[in-house]
Amino acid sequence: MMPEGQGAPASPQAFRSSPDRGSSGPAACPPPQLPAPGSPESPAPRRGAIRASFPQKLAEALSSQYGLNVFVAGLLFLLAWAVHASGVGKSDLLCFLTALMLLQLLWMLWYVGRSSARRRLKDTHAGARWLRGSITLFAVITIILGCLKIGYFVGFSECLSATEGVFPVTHAVHTLLQVYFLWGHAKDIIQSFKTLERFGVIHSVFTNLLLWANSVLNESKHQLNEHKERLITLGFGNITIVLDDHTPPCNCTPPTLCSAISHGIYYLYPFNIEYQILASTMLYVLWKNIGRKVDSHQHQKMQFRSHGVTLGSVLGLAALAATIGVVVVYLIWIGRSKPRSESALLMFYLYAIILLILMGAAGLAGIRIHRLDEQSLDESKNPARKLDADLLVGTASGSWLISWGSILAILCAESRPPYTWYNLPYSILVVVEKYIQNLFIIESIHREPEKLSKDIRTLQVVTVCNGNATSLPSSCFESRPAAGDVAPQGSEMPHAANGNMCLGEVGSKEEQKSWEGALGPACHPRFLQGNAQRRVLRNIAAFLFLCNISLWIPPAFGCRPEYDNGLEEIVFGFEPWIIVVNLAMPFSIFYRMHAAASLFEVYCKI
Amino acid sequence: MMPEGQGAPASPQAFRSSPDRGSSGPAACPPPQLPAPGSPESPAPRRGAIRASFPQKLAEALSSQYGLNVFVAGLLFLLAWAVHASGVGKSDLLCFLTALMLLQLLWMLWYVGRSSARRRLKDTHAGARWLRGSITLFAVITIILGCLKIGYFVGFSECLSATEGVFPVTHAVHTLLQVYFLWGHAKDIIQSFKTLERFGVIHSVFTNLLLWANSVLNESKHQLNEHKERLITLGFGNITIVLDDHTPPCNCTPPTLCSAISHGIYYLYPFNIEYQILASTMLYVLWKNIGRKVDSHQHQKMQFRSHGVTLGSVLGLAALAATIGVVVVYLIWIGRSKPRSESALLMFYLYAIILLILMGAAGLAGIRIHRLDEQSLDESKNPARKLDADLLVGTASGSWLISWGSILAILCAESRPPYTWYNLPYSILVVVEKYIQNLFIIESIHREPEKLSKDIRTLQVVTVCNGNATSLPSSCFESRPAAGDVAPQGSEMPHAANGNMCLGEVGSKEEQKSWEGALGPACHPRFLQGNAQRRVLRNIAAFLFLCNISLWIPPAFGCRPEYDNGLEEIVFGFEPWIIVVNLAMPFSIFYRMHAAASLFEVYCKI
């Protein structure tokens, strides 16, 4: 949980200079630049460079520290409630969360009202349309969850405190307004260093994180209770089992309805959890973007095309169907009797091993194809992408923690039931598959959009391969958008024109040779296979996307062999292992949804 | 513990272009740049831009994921040992750590041997001399600790496994070679993307982190045992107390010597802990620097000057003396009897409250002085500095977790012994003081070295204030090193010359006006107070430095009121609170040492 609060948003200079570099080449000698008086950033940039009355670094540190303190205080409230601390009730916790949400509501209203007057710069990488779409979906389910909770409160209103009714109402309003806010403002690049904006955004980030932690805790308690009930049937009755039940001490008026609501709530929690974490990542990107200097147009629109991915989709959908089947059977069998439980575990391990092998192979193939393709990576600054990569590796660590725990337990256990031998390859494969998949995704999201670079390369190839080996001084090729640059959207043709203009210039013999060497592979027949490669990559992305959705389902809906196989609990002890799983599992679950989101982006980009 | 592994090392282009910007101005029209054939980076940079056979992002992800897996596996070994997992003994853990150290030893030998042949680029910000000095000091104590452990092994050799002897020997050798390695190579900027180098560095980072975690765990167990022994005297005997003692089950040959060694080991652990974490941060900076493009000279040498800081040093030394007195009295009084323990707590809280108020005031004064001073911040890329800022905020969160726990406990407790009322302001002050101090340090380390910018501003002021109001087009001022740039060391005069060359150029009336406005404050008498300001800042830094050293001592040597006051344990329960403290305390302790190191740097920079 280390804060990335201080993540240096790089030197503004680096960004200010990039449009220059984009159009250098023969035109590399611009007249001494005077600040354009009309541009929005020009008023006093020189003055700002000399007198920074409230420097960005300080504003960042101020707000990130405030946010961390809110978060830490909230975590302790959650801990206090989780361990039944004396004097800290559920209503205190809900009061605290409600207050945070109300504060955020006020701030969002202020921001929306204030923004309607002025136009802001936009980060086209942030808040992609599909991201906003999926957050809306999750938000709708969250609001349904809120309604169920209100129903639950009405049913048990005799013995529940008012806060348990106020909280879901506030939460529903908060969800509605937040989704509206994210639709309108997730791409904003706030240019004023006004304290109130920074504090508001970071407050929103950590409020959502706390709501996430709250949901995770509720879900974990529920899962743990179910697990404890099941555990006895597997023959591990010697573990002290105390159910941590929060059923209110009074009767609900229509009992069947109440029990239906209780069940419904727990099936909707996983979506609420995804909603909260997704909202906080989008808000975090908004926070990181505050004060950034970027060109207003720097991004190619991504398109979703569905043709040519039959194989990947069919395989992926088959995996999805298999998963749903396995989960249903697992949930029916587990905890009925010892042999039934063992069969359920065996079935789950076999299914997961096959799926993980396929996914690993697909990921390896994807990496191999990327390695064959000569293309430099786009390493320009991009908070949304950096966060994606960080989250992939960070949240995978949660699942690695559980897997290494299983591996260690299997190696050290004194007696091993037969199904544990399937646990060993399963745990190893979980580690390996995430390792491979992260590599594939990280490389893919750092690729330049295919179309742009292909166009330019084609031009180069035509120029060089025609036998017309006019030397190409390197300064000409500066006109090609370099790896670190993001080319303005409509600038492909001017670049090409620049390239041609350079052909007359003089260069040394050596350079020419190195150029031909570098471009040589592009003349190779392999270059013609570009479309086939792209189709294979798109199939891989589609397959992995559906597989990640599949693997999100089992842990989110209570199919958790890490609990049920019982071996780790014997080796580590019940309490320590439960703490490890409860801390790591939320990250592991989030990993799958996040990887799926990233793979969707990869798919659209190819 | 989120990995910063993916921290995008920004676009290489941004860095490559900075020398241009530094010397633009009238000379802003360089001839189309041909790659200089002699420079170390030139061989095939053009080719690299087109064909990146093994892209940096991928290499980073590969190695960081490997490191995280090693770390996670190691953490589970530690956990298994800590909870007395069945089948995992201390010798398994030590075997694992020894193997990691041996692997790192081999890698370091390979690297040192390979590096002797070639010269590498250096990052002058990384591995400062004082940093290497302090790591050497801590390493010496670590080696003494190793010798004591060998002595302990010899004494108990009858009943200890061989690994407990092999481990300290390996550790001593590892420490020796690592310090040699860090002296020679901490500043290296590895330019090849060779896998072996990345893997080696990240392996070293996480090996040191695991050794740190191992020491922390040993220290925590020891503190916890002492705490449990004391707890009874404060009247909290109702908590289940089981000592977690690891004394070997045989007799040591000279008993007095053995007990002396045991005690000695625990007094040396805090230094060993600092050594390990310091080494891993230096190695982490080395890892982040791999593949970075920087100018070879970009840093002013910092000088340590001791004159003019009498007040700060005297106050700081007084605080240090008071701390040592308080800690000694605390350790004698605590756990003797209930009134004695309460007096000890009362004394500690009063002392800490006074010290924290003074530190907070000093920090606020420092921030205020920075706000008065018109100077833009240096926001150029600098992994060492970014890590410093991240660590300050990240490790402060550990201490905030404990403080918010105390605050919550005080607010929610049902009965409160009188001394707890001192705990409330103490806890609040811990939060506030770290908040302020972080702001002060983060702003200070982002300031440009004073001398350089003062020189240039003086030139500007002379130019404008002379009444010789020749207009200064903004392009001239590009020659001043902008906020994002780090000027080459010896280039002050060329810049000045550029500035003068510009004086003949034509600019608009408006610009001239805005320039005079911007430079106006510099003509103000306040500008003359620069030296006084600097002296005040240096006093503040010296005072805070000594205070942070002071506040490192109590928790490192067993003076932990969070354990001893007992209130939090009643509210949260013994186990949960002990887990919170044991997880957060190492970061809280490290915070103090790290803040002291940063303040030392700030002091030298002012």
Side-chain angles (χ1 to χ4, degrees), chain A residues 69-79 93 96-97 100 210:
Chain A
N69 272 295
V70 168
F71 186 59
V72 159
L75 281 185
L76 279 159
F77 256 111
L78 287 171
L79 175 75
L93 173 66
F96 181 72
L97 291 177
L100 289 181
L210 280 177

Side-chain angles (χ1 to χ4, degrees), chain A residues 1 6 13 21 35 49 53 55 58 62 65 69 76 85-86 371 376-377 390 400-401 404-405 435 438 443 571, chain B residues 1 6 13 21 49 53 55 58 62 65 69 76 85-86 371 376-377 390 400-401 404-405 435 438 443 571:
Chain A
M1 303 296 286
Q6 302 312 313
Q13 278 71 10
R21 273 179 290 131
S53 66
L58 199 65
L62 257 177
Q65 295 198 84
N69 272 295
L76 279 159
S86 62
R371 293 295 84 244
S376 60
L377 295 192
D390 283 353
W400 289 333
L401 191 70
W404 281 106
Y435 201 117
N438 285 347
E443 178 151 12
V571 173
Chain B
M1 303 295 290
Q6 301 313 312
Q13 278 70 12
R21 272 179 290 133
S53 66
L58 199 66
L62 256 178
Q65 295 198 86
N69 273 297
L76 278 159
S86 62
R371 294 294 83 243
S376 60
L377 296 190
D390 283 352
W400 288 334
L401 191 71
W404 281 106
Y435 202 117
N438 284 348
E443 180 153 9
V571 173

Side-chain angles (χ1 to χ4, degrees), chain A residues 314-590:
Chain A
V314 167
L315 279 176
L317 288 172
L320 191 59
T323 306
I324 294 171
V326 166
V327 169
V328 169
V329 174
Y330 184 95
L331 291 179
I332 293 171
W333 279 2
I334 198 82
R336 298 273 154 172
S337 67
K338 204 175 168 183
R340 271 287 160 87
S341 292
E342 290 190 359
S343 318
L345 285 169
L346 203 66
M347 175 193 64
F348 180 81
Y349 284 132
L350 281 175
Y351 143 80
I353 287 170
I354 294 169
L355 190 58
L356 289 170
I357 288 176
L358 289 176
M359 289 169 73
L364 277 179
I367 294 173
R368 182 75 197 131
I369 291 173
H370 277 321
R371 293 295 84 244
L372 286 175
D373 190 22
E374 316 94 4
Q375 216 187 341
S376 60
L377 295 192
D378 170 14
E379 305 213 6
S380 61
K381 185 164 177 61
N382 180 338
R385 186 173 60 196
K386 176 167 161 20
L387 180 67
D388 279 349
D390 283 353
L391 282 179
L392 279 176
V393 178
T395 55
S397 303
S399 125
W400 289 333
L401 191 70
I402 299 179
S403 296
W404 281 106
S406 297
I407 295 170
L408 201 64
I410 296 161
L411 296 181
C412 299
E414 276 140 13
S415 73
R416 302 177 185 90
Y419 59 84
T420 52
W421 286 114
Y422 295 90
N423 192 359
L424 186 62
Y426 166 72
S427 301
I428 293 171
L429 279 168
V430 166
V431 174
V432 172
E433 190 270 328
K434 282 186 178 149
Y435 201 117
I436 293 171
Q437 181 166 283
N438 285 347
L439 290 179
F440 174 66
I441 297 176
I442 288 173
E443 178 151 12
S444 300
I445 58 177
H446 280 89
R447 296 244 140 189
E448 288 167 27
E450 191 78 357
K451 195 171 149 280
L452 186 63
S453 63
K454 278 276 148 82
D455 285 355
I456 289 155
R457 192 179 308 145
T458 311
L459 174 83
Q460 295 171 346
V461 170
V462 168
T463 315
V464 179
C465 294
N466 273 348
N468 171 16
T470 330
S471 85
L472 301 164
S474 62
S475 61
C476 292
F477 276 83
E478 294 279 2
S479 70
R480 197 180 63 84
D485 278 348
V486 186
Q489 202 179 342
S491 65
E492 287 131 77
M493 286 326 289
H495 280 286
N498 276 353
N500 283 329
M501 277 162 65
C502 283
L503 290 177
E505 287 195 34
V506 186
S508 74
K509 201 79 187 168
E510 261 181 33
E511 274 165 33
Q512 180 192 328
K513 220 165 133 192
S514 84
W515 268 111
E516 283 176 336
L519 294 171
C523 304
H524 200 264
R526 185 152 35 78
F527 177 62
L528 299 171
Q529 298 169 358
N531 253 333
Q533 270 186 11
R534 221 186 293 177
R535 203 160 50 238
V536 174
L537 281 177
R538 213 178 287 155
N539 271 295
I540 289 173
F543 173 67
L544 287 179
F545 167 76
L546 288 164
C547 286
N548 275 286
I549 297 276
S550 304
L551 287 180
W552 175 75
I553 296 172
F557 292 94
C559 169
R560 300 183 173 183
E562 296 83 3
Y563 278 155
D564 295 317
N565 82 57
L567 187 76
E568 293 93 341
E569 284 158 10
I570 290 178
V571 173
F572 285 97
F574 187 74
E575 285 279 337
W577 180 247
I578 291 298
I579 291 175
V580 168
V581 172
N582 276 340
L583 288 180
M585 189 59 95
F587 297 100
S588 175
I589 294 175
F590 173 62

Side-chain angles (χ1 to χ4, degrees), chain A residues 183-201:
Chain A
W183 268 92
H185 301 282
K187 288 172 179 294
D188 281 12
I189 297 180
I190 299 169
Q191 283 299 339
S192 59
F193 292 156
K194 291 283 163 57
T195 322
L196 203 49
E197 289 175 330
R198 277 193 179 275
F199 271 83
V201 179

